[in-house]
Amino acid sequence: MGKQIKTVGILTSGGDAPGMNACIRAITRTAIFNGMKVMGIYRGYEGLINGEIKEFTSESVSNTIQRGGTILKTARSMEFMTPEGMQKAYDNLVKFGIDALIVIGGNGSLTGAQNLAREYDYPVIGLPGTIDNDLYGTDSTIGYDTALNTIVDCVDKIRDTATSHDRIFFVEVMGRDAGFLAQNSAIAAGAEAAIIPEDQTDVDQLEQFISRGFRKSKNSSIVIVSESKKDGGAMYYAERVRKEYPQYDVRVTILGHLQRGGTPTACDRILASRLGHASIEALKEGQRNVMVGIHNDQIVYVPIDRAIKKDKPIDKELIDVLGVLSI
């Protein structure tokens, strides 16, 4: 048996995601219910380095379940990636009497948690908080459902003007390395195509889309594109259409950080609450260095290194579904 956990620290790191506050609330209240003390760490690992730490009570998280963003704030910390920065972070964990750290965030945030755990043999629990839904071992991540609904709402509005003006709209969404948002929002919004990282083959996706759908029967189309540093995302495909198919009127909408904000959906509130509660249960069971996820509606523990290193596959059937329904 390891050291008894009497005080837990919570931080949110990386990009914010709707539902993070619901998760903070669940962790705080579950910990207090179990006789533990809770320390809220502001501004992620940067705040941990700088000692921006405050004790949380049940009242600290009152009236937060419906709020987007994160009451603990978030930041990306370059200093934490250095040995000196990590040492400062660990020293503050010791100074404030924090026996275990719960990190809510995406791939980079959980990588930082794993590095801290390994370097100092320190108990860490990761919770998947990212709109990209790209962490292995969990069916869904906190914030994904809300972002998906935000995208669908925006695309519904864009379709009105696309139809009125006989235009092709390329709508760029987040998900640089994972196409879950693009693929599923395309199906939900009735888009004609989705261009995602997982579907990069020798086939020219733009040519395939033009020949299959738009050229044959449609006078307006919506194409959802995952953001990409490699080829420039939606702007790249719009420029190609202007050059290769000048007969078409093309527009681009980049949704950007609009996707991160807003009131979390019921699904995200419930998921975040379950995962937050489960993180304290995991510590009570002696679990450490695991990500708490959900699979087939059951709570699961996934080693953090697997969650961040293994690629989460997209269901290829979704690609087939969109192709059939977009004719």
Side-chain angles (χ1 to χ4, degrees):
M1 288 289 292
K3 176 184 176 183
Q4 183 182 0
I5 306 298
K6 296 180 179 179
T7 302
V8 296
I10 318 169
L11 66 80
T12 52
S13 174
D16 62 295
M20 281 184 165
N21 287 326
C23 194
I24 295 166
R25 172 181 178 271
I27 296 166
T28 299
R29 294 192 169 178
T30 305
I32 291 170
F33 179 85
N34 283 281
M36 299 178 187
K37 188 175 177 182
V38 180
M39 304 300 286
I41 301 162
Y42 289 83
R43 295 177 181 82
Y45 293 114
E46 193 70 12
L48 181 55
I49 289 171
N50 296 325
E52 298 181 57
I53 301 171
K54 175 184 174 183
E55 184 173 357
F56 265 35
T57 65
S58 185
E59 289 72 25
S60 301
V61 292
S62 294
N63 199 33
T64 60
I65 195 170
Q66 78 282 8
R67 291 170 57 183
T70 164
I71 59 172
L72 283 174
K73 310 290 185 180
T74 182
R76 301 185 191 276
S77 177
M78 298 303 294
E79 187 178 0
F80 183 74
M81 298 180 185
T82 67
E84 295 79 14
M86 190 177 294
Q87 182 66 55
K88 289 180 185 177
Y90 176 72
D91 288 345
N92 276 329
L93 289 170
V94 174
K95 177 182 175 181
F96 285 86
I98 299 172
D99 302 313
L101 180 65
I102 300 173
V103 175
I104 311 167
N107 193 287
S109 304
L110 298 195
T111 298
Q114 181 192 48
N115 292 339
L116 181 71
R118 284 181 172 173
E119 183 68 23
Y120 297 101
D121 189 25
Y122 188 83
V124 167
I125 300 292
L127 295 178
T130 168
I131 67 170
D132 292 344
N133 196 33
D134 59 348
L135 286 166
Y136 179 85
T138 185
D139 293 342
S140 189
T141 58
I142 297 165
Y144 170 66
D145 185 71
T146 305
L148 190 60
N149 278 278
T150 298
I151 293 168
V152 170
D153 184 54
C154 291
V155 174
D156 287 347
K157 292 177 172 64
I158 290 168
R159 185 176 289 284
D160 291 342
T161 192
T163 304
S164 299
H165 293 274
D166 293 347
R167 287 172 175 162
I168 302 176
F169 262 88
F170 288 95
V171 181
E172 183 174 297
V173 301
M174 290 181 172
R176 184 173 297 122
D177 300 312
F180 294 97
L181 282 174
Q183 191 66 45
N184 284 303
S185 64
I187 293 173
E192 280 64 40
I195 298 176
I196 61 174
E198 293 90 342
D199 199 27
Q200 298 291 349
T201 64
D202 292 334
V203 177
D204 187 327
Q205 293 185 76
L206 180 63
E207 171 60 33
Q208 188 179 57
F209 152 66
I210 292 285
S211 61
R212 184 189 70 221
F214 193 81
R215 182 180 290 167
K216 288 183 179 178
S217 61
K218 303 197 176 187
N219 57 8
S220 69
S221 284
I222 303 287
V223 181
I224 313 293
V225 184
S226 288
E227 64 183 350
S228 172
K229 283 186 176 180
K230 183 179 179 182
D231 59 26
M235 293 299 296
Y236 164 77
Y237 289 102
E239 284 302 313
R240 279 195 56 193
V241 171
R242 292 188 182 106
K243 291 177 182 177
E244 300 172 29
Y245 309 97
Q247 68 270 34
Y248 298 130
D249 190 12
V250 182
R251 293 292 186 274
V252 172
T253 298
I254 299 174
L255 296 184
H257 286 81
L258 181 70
Q259 299 158 84
R260 288 198 184 281
T263 300
T265 61
C267 285
D268 269 329
R269 297 185 199 192
I270 294 167
L271 174 65
S273 297
R274 289 183 68 186
L275 295 181
H277 173 269
S279 68
I280 297 300
E281 293 300 313
L283 288 173
K284 287 170 58 183
E285 293 172 15
Q287 296 283 346
R288 52 192 289 154
N289 310 336
V290 296
M291 180 191 78
V292 182
I294 193 152
H295 180 61
N296 293 333
D297 203 34
Q298 298 296 313
I299 294 294
V300 293
Y301 301 145
V302 184
I304 290 179
D305 59 348
R306 291 187 67 199
I308 61 180
K309 289 180 180 177
K310 292 197 70 170
D311 290 334
K312 182 177 181 178
I314 199 164
D315 187 350
K316 297 297 183 182
E317 182 184 346
L318 296 173
I319 298 172
D320 296 335
V321 168
L322 180 60
V324 171
L325 300 185
S326 65
I327 61 172

